[in-house]
Amino acid sequence: MRRVAVVAPETALRESLVRIAEAGCVEIDLAGGGGPDDGGGPAATRLRRLRTEPGQAVLSEALPDLDALEHEGRTDLLAGEAQLEERLGSAVRHGEAAALAGWCPEAEVGATAARIAGAGGALVVLRAPRGVDPPTLLTGADTATPAHPARTVRRSFTPLVSTYGTVPYADLDPTLPAGIVYAVMFGAMFGDAGHGLLLVAIALVLRAGRPRRLAALRPLWPFVAGAGLAATLAGVAYGEFFGPTGVLPVLWLAPLEEPMRLLATAVVLGAVLLALAYAAGIVNRWREGGPAAALYSTTGVAGAALYLGLAAVAGCVWLGRPALAAVGAVIVLTGLALAGAGLYATTAGGPGGAVQTGIQLLDAMVRIGSNIVSFARLAAFGLTHAALGAIVWNGTKALAGRSPVGVVAALLVFLAGNALAFSLEALVAGVQALRLEYYELFSRLFEGEGRPFRPWHLPVEHIPGSAADTGPPAAGETAAGDAARLGPAREEYS
C-alpha cells in the first residue's frame, strides 16, 4: 500500500476525482471525516431538502445543474455530488493548485496516475507518515481492486478472518491457513463420508447459484466444499458412511471403539497448531515492533518458550522420564523471565506492578494448559457424531428385519435420523471449530487490530462521445505515469 497525493489544477480537480471514483482504487483522506449530514455543500443541502433516502450514489461526468437534479428527484446524482463535495472540501489549496492525500495499492498506482493524467491531474507517491499504519487489503477481499480481483478460494475464507477483526497491515495474512485449519478441525468433528459428500453437493449447488435467494452465499462455496471434503476424508478413516453401515472399511480407527486414541490424537493436533500459532505470532510481533516486541511478548518468543517448556515437562512425565523434565523446567523459567520483564514494563512499577505481573504470568500458564485441553473437543464431538450415527443405524437394522411395514419404517428412521444428525452436528462442529480458531489460535496471532482499506468507488454517468469514453491514456504516454512507478517499499498485502 502506498501513500499518495492527488494533485491537480483547481479547474481539473473535479474531473480528476470523478476518474478516481470510477476506478475505485484510492482511499482519500477526509478532513474531519465529515459527511453530507455535517453541514455539507450545495448538493448535500438539496439532498436533505428532498427528504428521500438516496439509493446507489452516482457521479455525473460533467458538472450537473443541481437545481435541475433536485427538481427531477435525482437523489442518486445528488448523493454522488455530495460525496464529491466532501472530497473537494478536504483538498489543500495553494494558488491555482489543489491536493488530496490518500492510500492506493501499489499495483494500481501506475494505472491510476495514467487515468487522472488525462484530466490534467497527477498522482504523486509520498513517504508514509511515521506512526500511521496503512490500511489493510487482504488478497481475496471483497474490496479487491481490478488488478487484484477477489480470488475464489481466498475470498471464501476471508469472512473467517474479517469476522474476528481487521488484520494489522504489518502482520501476516492468515486467510488461507486459517481456512485450511478450520476445514481440518470441522472434518475431525464431522467425520462421516456420507455427510461430507452431502456438504460437497451443497457447495456445488451454491456454486450454480441455486436457489436464487441464496445467491449471496455463492462466493462461500469453496469454503463449504473444503469442509465437506475434510469430513469425507475423516469419515473414510473412521469407516463411517451415514453411520457405521459397513459400506466403508475402517482405515484408521472406529471412534466408539478407540476413544482414548482419538482423544490423544486431538490433543496432539492441538499442540501442533498452537506451536504454529506461536511461530506466526513471533513473526507478527517482530514486524509490528521489532526484536524487543518479539522477544518479551507473551505471544512472541517469551510465550513460545513458556509453552514449549510446559509441553516438554508434561511429555517427560507422560513418558516416564522425569530426568528430561529438568530441561523443560529451564525453558519454562526462561519464558517466565522474558514474559515477566515484558509485562512488568507495561505496569506502573513498584509492588503493585509486581503483583500485576505475577497474576498475568499465572494466567498465561493456566491458559496454555486450558488451550491444549480445549482441543479435546475435536475428539469429543467426533465421538458424538459417531454415536448419533450408530443409534440411527441400529434403529434402522432393528426395524428392517421385522416386516414390509418395518422396512418402510426403517427407511424413514434412516432418512430422518441422518437429516437430524447432519443438521445438528454440522451446526455444532461449525461453531466449535470457529471457537478453537478464534480463542486458541487467533489470540496468539494478533495483539491489535488494523484498519480496512476503503477505496472511494462510485459509478459514473457518462456523456456519450466524451473523452472519458475513449479510456485513459497508456501509462507510458504520461509523465505522471512514469513518476508514479516507483519501487515498492515493502510487500503490498498483509
Side-chain angles (χ1 to χ4, degrees):
M1 193 68 67
R2 304 306 298 267
R3 184 67 168 171
V4 297
V6 179
V7 182
E10 187 71 41
T11 55
L13 183 59
R14 184 188 188 281
E15 185 178 352
S16 298
L17 288 177
V18 168
R19 295 192 178 200
I20 283 177
E22 187 174 28
C25 301
V26 180
E27 177 184 293
I28 297 177
D29 296 347
L30 297 177
D37 294 330
D38 300 328
T45 301
R46 287 168 171 79
L47 189 60
R48 287 197 303 272
R49 232 168 21 215
L50 287 175
R51 297 184 180 180
T52 303
E53 188 67 25
Q56 168 68 51
V58 178
L59 271 177
S60 173
E61 178 188 5
L63 184 64
D65 183 337
L66 298 182
D67 292 328
L69 293 181
E70 182 182 10
H71 179 72
E72 296 170 6
R74 292 295 304 271
T75 57
D76 55 344
L77 287 174
L78 285 173
E81 288 298 317
Q83 292 189 27
L84 184 62
E85 288 173 353
E86 288 183 77
R87 283 140 185 92
L88 290 172
S90 300
V92 177
R93 291 170 171 81
H94 182 74
E96 297 298 321
L100 287 154
W103 299 94
C104 180
E106 182 188 337
E108 295 288 347
V109 170
T112 305
R115 175 181 287 270
I116 67 173
L123 192 71
V124 181
V125 177
L126 306 175
R127 181 177 298 176
R130 291 184 179 181
V132 178
D133 289 331
T136 300
L137 175 62
L138 296 178
T139 304
D142 289 337
T143 53
T145 56
H148 292 274
R151 301 172 187 175
T152 305
V153 175
R154 278 184 175 272
R155 185 184 181 190
S156 69
F157 290 158
T158 298
L160 189 64
V161 178
S162 59
T163 301
Y164 183 82
T166 302
V167 179
Y169 183 75
D171 287 5
L172 299 171
D173 180 359
T175 304
L176 195 57
I180 294 173
V181 169
Y182 181 92
V184 170
M185 293 192 296
F186 178 89
M189 292 183 282
F190 197 69
D192 188 292
H195 293 169
L197 290 175
L198 280 179
L199 270 181
V200 174
I202 291 173
L204 295 177
V205 170
L206 288 177
R207 184 177 184 272
R210 304 293 185 197
R212 288 188 177 181
R213 57 185 173 183
L214 297 181
L217 300 178
R218 186 178 185 274
L220 298 179
W221 78 265
F223 181 83
V224 178
L229 181 60
T232 301
L233 294 176
V236 170
Y238 298 158
E240 298 275 333
F241 186 82
F242 294 110
T245 55
V247 174
L248 296 175
V250 177
L251 297 183
W252 179 44
L253 61 79
L256 296 179
E257 295 178 6
E258 299 182 80
M260 295 307 297
R261 186 180 173 191
L262 183 62
L263 180 64
T265 302
V267 173
V268 170
L269 174 61
V272 172
L273 291 176
L274 284 174
L276 294 175
Y278 272 114
I282 292 172
V283 175
N284 285 344
R285 300 298 84 74
W286 188 293
R287 295 175 67 166
E288 290 169 358
L295 182 62
Y296 295 107
S297 174
T298 54
T299 58
V301 174
L306 188 58
Y307 168 73
L308 293 176
L310 290 174
V313 171
C316 292
V317 173
W318 179 266
L319 296 174
R321 297 183 180 181
L324 297 179
V327 177
V330 171
I331 299 175
V332 169
L333 292 176
T334 303
L336 285 173
L338 292 173
L343 292 171
Y344 186 77
T346 63
T347 68
V355 172
Q356 180 180 338
T357 300
I359 294 174
Q360 288 176 316
L361 287 176
L362 179 61
D363 175 69
M365 295 180 66
V366 171
R367 281 196 301 114
I368 287 175
S370 64
N371 290 158
I372 294 176
V373 174
S374 186
F375 281 92
R377 71 189 64 224
L378 295 177
F381 289 105
L383 288 169
T384 303
H385 194 105
L388 286 175
I391 291 172
V392 172
W393 180 241
N394 289 336
T396 300
K397 288 192 299 181
L399 291 171
R402 301 203 172 195
S403 65
V405 176
V407 172
V408 175
L411 181 60
L412 293 176
V413 167
F414 183 77
L415 294 176
N418 272 284
L420 177 62
F422 177 89
S423 303
L424 180 63
E425 287 299 305
L427 176 62
V428 171
V431 171
Q432 294 301 325
L434 194 65
R435 185 221 176 274
L436 289 171
E437 190 102 63
Y438 285 174
Y439 288 95
E440 271 63 56
L441 302 179
F442 279 11
S443 62
R444 287 163 172 78
L445 262 64
F446 310 120
E447 284 194 340
E449 189 170 356
R451 180 174 68 82
F453 175 64
R454 302 188 186 279
W456 185 41
H457 187 203
L458 292 179
V460 175
E461 192 173 272
H462 288 288
I463 300 173
S466 66
D469 281 350
T470 63
E477 296 176 3
T478 66
D482 293 334
R485 287 193 296 272
L486 300 179
R490 61 190 303 284
E491 289 294 325
E492 167 56 278
Y493 295 105
S494 296

